[in-house]
Amino acid sequence: MLYHGMDRAQLDAAYNNSAAVRERDAIVAGWAARSARVRREYAGHLDLAYGDAPRERLDLFLAADPKAPTLAFIHGGYWQMNDKESFAFFAEGLLPLGINLAVIEYTLAPTARLDRIVAEVSRSMRWLTEHLGEYGADSNRLYVAGHSAGGHLTAMTMPLAEVRGGIAISGIFDLEPIRLNYLNEKLGLDLAEAERNSPVRRLPAKAGELVVAYGTEELPELCRQSTEYGRRWTERGLPGYLLPVDDADHFTILDALARPEGVLTRALLAMLGR
């Protein structure tokens, strides 16, 4: 047995979200179509460079009154896939609520190791804090959310002084099973890199509020990752809570943040004091 009573084939299947959700391709295509519409209809500030690498860039969509809190969204794809262009659709729900949206892109594996990816995302948070004021936004109210690998990266940003709070959605918080399964073919994690980039092993001394969210219809290992991390977070006395999203799988859970009435949108509004 390789990990928690699973052999390699079982461990691979335990983290293969795409294979587990039959409608995955249609859902992702819907995100892309909605995001393309947002990018056509909203006057966003696109491809803002926060670093020197080609993928160190972000898109910023401002609410009618830009002097508002900003949610920085970090996309998933197991640190190996996707780009910011497909996740502009969150603007549909957030901008009418008076919340700015920044969508973060980062260099993917295998071009970048995970250490570099974490450093890039941290750099994007510092860039936003330094530059949001230039667009009329409140640089002191920066929040972060991310999905899947982006949930992991959200957790890694929580110790930053720039981040006021976060929502980690369907994240990976212990990288040991990732190091041992098919995903490591591109990530190339060794034991030390997996250890220093596992949020469950690197809980901060202090941080803003963190909501750890997962779908109740997700793969058992994904549920375990969130429930264990959420428990460790609160046991340490850090502000935040675990939020199961009923009847959501690894992909449909994003509806809960994309819709103004979604449970994750409500959690964000509560975090903002609304």
Side-chain angles (χ1 to χ4, degrees), residues 90-124:
F90 290 109
E92 295 173 335
L94 295 178
L95 299 193
L97 294 174
I99 302 170
N100 304 322
L101 171 68
V103 190
I104 311 298
E105 191 160 279
Y106 50 89
T107 306
L108 301 174
T111 301
R113 295 190 67 92
L114 195 56
D115 283 335
R116 173 179 164 185
I117 293 170
V118 169
E120 287 185 359
V121 171
S122 295
R123 185 157 47 248
S124 75

Side-chain angles (χ1 to χ4, degrees), residues 200-252:
V200 75
R201 303 173 193 275
R202 291 289 184 265
L203 291 165
K206 62 179 182 179
E209 181 181 358
L210 177 65
V211 175
V212 181
Y214 69 97
T216 60
E217 299 301 314
E218 300 214 42
L219 287 166
E221 268 294 287
L222 271 293
C223 296
R224 183 192 65 80
Q225 288 265 357
S226 288
T227 54
E228 181 175 324
Y229 184 57
R231 177 178 58 80
R232 298 273 189 94
W233 183 272
T234 55
E235 285 178 350
R236 192 175 177 87
L238 293 163
Y241 56 95
L242 183 69
L243 179 57
V245 179
D246 291 338
D247 303 320
D249 61 40
H250 192 71
F251 300 98
T252 59

Side-chain angles (χ1 to χ4, degrees), residues 47 57-59 75 83-88 103-105:
D47 294 320
R57 56 196 185 124
L58 59 88
D59 294 340
H75 70 76
D83 53 42
K84 61 181 174 56
E85 281 75 16
S86 293
F87 295 90
V103 190
I104 311 298
E105 191 160 279

Side-chain angles (χ1 to χ4, degrees), residues 101-198:
L101 171 68
V103 190
I104 311 298
E105 191 160 279
Y106 50 89
T107 306
L108 301 174
T111 301
R113 295 190 67 92
L114 195 56
D115 283 335
R116 173 179 164 185
I117 293 170
V118 169
E120 287 185 359
V121 171
S122 295
R123 185 157 47 248
S124 75
M125 300 300 141
R126 290 190 292 271
W127 187 95
L128 283 166
T129 300
E130 293 169 0
H131 294 278
L132 278 171
E134 298 169 13
Y135 298 92
D138 186 344
S139 61
N140 292 316
R141 290 195 289 169
L142 176 63
Y143 297 81
V144 60
H147 172 240
S148 196
H152 162 267
L153 294 168
T154 294
M156 294 297 287
T157 70
M158 290 306 296
L160 299 177
E162 293 87 351
V163 174
R164 295 286 301 276
I167 304 177
I169 308 165
S170 306
I172 304 296
F173 307 106
D174 180 359
L175 296 179
E176 180 62 6
I178 305 302
R179 185 181 71 84
L180 296 172
N181 73 15
Y182 75 103
L183 295 164
N184 208 35
E185 293 168 10
K186 290 186 177 180
L187 291 169
L189 291 169
D190 57 30
L191 186 61
E193 190 174 21
E195 169 79 18
R196 65 178 169 264
N197 288 293
S198 288

